[in-house]
């Protein structure tokens, strides 16, 4: 997921599957999609947290992700002809076409891993979504959107993201260090540190610098407009409340009109 070593990537996939279990975003997306079966594409589908319940709801779903350890987990969760997934680099690989819904969920636009300029990669995800959709199809964007990013991302204290043992007996901890926010350029910088005690008793440490572009809401609106979308619903949480100082998401449901 973060260009980490294989044994860390495997641990990371297990930790993601154990810790990321919320369903509020999935339930909101399913409500917006409606009961009629749709052809759905999820970008960065991971271990299927979103993909699997959408398939179980009767939609024909395809997931793309470059993390093979994440994708392996989908096999054990569902068996149906309505679901398929592929290992792919969503920046450079083709997504296909003819979809009714494209999902850019789980804060993916702030968690892109690529050698491309971050802001360009974010904009590209909106355009490729449009290219993959039929006219009249929808994009679902779920983006972490604190009203004051400088307060959220500027934190000198270590932040432990995950800690625990994986299915192979490897114990690890993932920590964010040196969190700073460049207000002028809307860039959040940090170091992602992995501390591992492996099943054989050896230790492994890896530090990965991270630099991410925080998209202002007006910029997302502009990219959607340029890609041929019109926003039909926008909210700041999964209960449908408007974006405000009290919310921390930007959830957008937009229709492709051209």
């Amino acid at each position: 997921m973060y260009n980490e070593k294989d044994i860390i990537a495997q641990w990371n996939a297990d930790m993601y599957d154990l810790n990321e279990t919320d369903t509020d975003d999935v339930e909101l997306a399913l409500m917006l999609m409606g009961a009629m079966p749709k052809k759905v594409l999820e970008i960065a589908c991971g271990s299927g947290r979103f993909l699997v319940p959408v398939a179980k709801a009767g939609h024909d779903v395809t997931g793309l992700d470059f993390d093979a350890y994440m994708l392996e987990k989908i096999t054990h969760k569902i068996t149906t002809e309505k679901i398929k997934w592929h290992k792919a680099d969503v920046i450079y690989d083709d997504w296909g076409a003819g979809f009714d819904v494209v999902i850019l969920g789980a804060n993916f636009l702030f968690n892109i891993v690529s050698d491309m300029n971050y802001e360009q990669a974010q904009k590209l995800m909106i355009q490729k979504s449009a290219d993959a959709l039929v006219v009249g199809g929808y994009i679902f964007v779920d983006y972490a959107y604190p009203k004051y990013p400088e307060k959220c991302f500027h934190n000198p204290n270590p932040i432990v993201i995950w800690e625990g043992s994986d299915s192979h007996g490897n114990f690890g901890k993932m920590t964010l260090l040196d969190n700073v926010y460049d207000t002028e350029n809307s860039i959040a910088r940090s170091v992602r540190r992995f501390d591992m005690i492996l099943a054989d008793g050896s230790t492994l440490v890896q530090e990965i610098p991270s630099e991410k572009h925080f998209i202002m809401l007006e910029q997302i609106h502009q990219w959607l407009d340029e890609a041929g979308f019109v926003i039909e619903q926008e909210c700041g949480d999964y209960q449908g409340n408007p974006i405000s100082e009290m919310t921390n998401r930007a959830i957008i449901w937009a229709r492709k009109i051209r």
Side-chain angles (χ1 to χ4, degrees):
M1 184 182 291
Y2 305 108
N3 297 322
E4 65 272 26
K5 296 179 179 178
D6 279 353
I7 198 164
I8 296 177
Q10 191 172 54
W11 173 85
N12 199 58
D14 274 12
M15 291 302 102
Y16 180 92
D17 217 40
L18 287 170
N19 290 282
E20 299 296 324
T21 58
D22 291 343
T23 61
D24 288 352
D25 54 343
V26 182
E27 292 167 6
L28 175 59
L30 286 172
M31 184 273 291
L32 291 168
M33 279 188 264
M36 183 177 294
K38 307 282 193 307
K39 186 179 179 183
V40 180
L41 173 66
E42 185 188 4
I43 301 305
C45 65
S47 62
R49 181 187 69 86
F50 213 114
L51 198 70
V52 169
V54 173
K56 288 182 176 179
H59 301 287
D60 187 343
V61 300
T62 299
L64 302 179
D65 202 294
F66 66 42
D67 191 323
Y69 294 112
M70 287 281 199
L71 293 173
E72 282 178 6
K73 297 186 176 298
I74 301 176
T75 306
H76 308 293
K77 297 179 179 179
I78 190 170
T79 302
T80 172
E81 60 185 16
K82 289 184 174 293
I83 185 170
K84 49 186 175 290
W85 57 93
H86 311 287
K87 187 176 187 294
D89 182 330
V90 298
I91 296 291
Y92 296 108
D93 292 343
D94 181 69
W95 292 8
F99 292 96
D100 302 305
V101 179
V102 171
I103 296 169
L104 301 180
N107 200 25
F108 169 64
L109 288 178
F110 195 66
N111 288 297
I112 298 170
V113 178
S114 175
D115 57 2
M116 181 180 286
N117 172 274
Y118 210 100
E119 188 173 354
Q120 290 178 354
Q122 291 169 321
K123 183 178 181 180
L124 179 63
M125 295 299 93
I126 301 296
Q127 184 58 58
K128 291 186 78 166
S129 296
D131 294 341
L133 285 165
V134 299
V135 174
Y138 286 85
I139 184 174
F140 176 84
V141 178
D142 180 8
Y143 181 64
Y145 192 73
K147 192 69 172 179
Y148 302 103
E150 65 278 8
K151 294 181 180 180
C152 178
F153 299 124
H154 197 90
N155 186 348
N157 300 315
I159 303 171
V160 176
I161 305 300
W162 293 322
E163 184 174 7
S165 296
D166 66 13
S167 55
H168 298 275
N170 302 308
F171 177 83
K173 180 168 67 174
M174 179 169 66
T175 310
L176 290 185
L177 305 172
D178 304 328
N179 301 279
V180 295
Y181 186 68
D182 177 350
T183 305
E184 183 178 353
N185 297 299
S186 299
I187 298 293
R189 297 184 177 91
S190 64
V191 174
R192 197 174 297 271
R193 179 184 171 98
F194 296 90
D195 292 276
M196 305 290 298
I197 302 174
L198 306 183
D200 63 6
S202 62
T203 60
L204 175 62
V205 175
Q206 185 176 10
E207 291 190 350
I208 303 174
S210 173
E211 184 172 292
K212 302 179 179 183
H213 175 252
F214 178 76
I215 318 171
M216 301 306 292
L217 190 59
E218 295 77 12
Q219 193 168 25
I220 299 179
H221 289 172
Q222 180 182 343
W223 291 345
L224 287 167
D225 179 67
E226 290 174 355
F229 289 101
V230 59
I231 296 172
E232 292 197 351
Q233 187 163 336
E234 182 174 87
C235 50
D237 58 29
Y238 303 125
Q239 288 70 50
N241 294 305
I243 296 172
S244 71
E245 294 187 9
M246 304 301 294
T247 61
N248 61 6
R249 311 297 289 189
I251 304 158
I252 301 171
W253 180 248
R255 179 167 50 89
K256 178 180 173 180
I257 59 173
R258 63 178 189 276

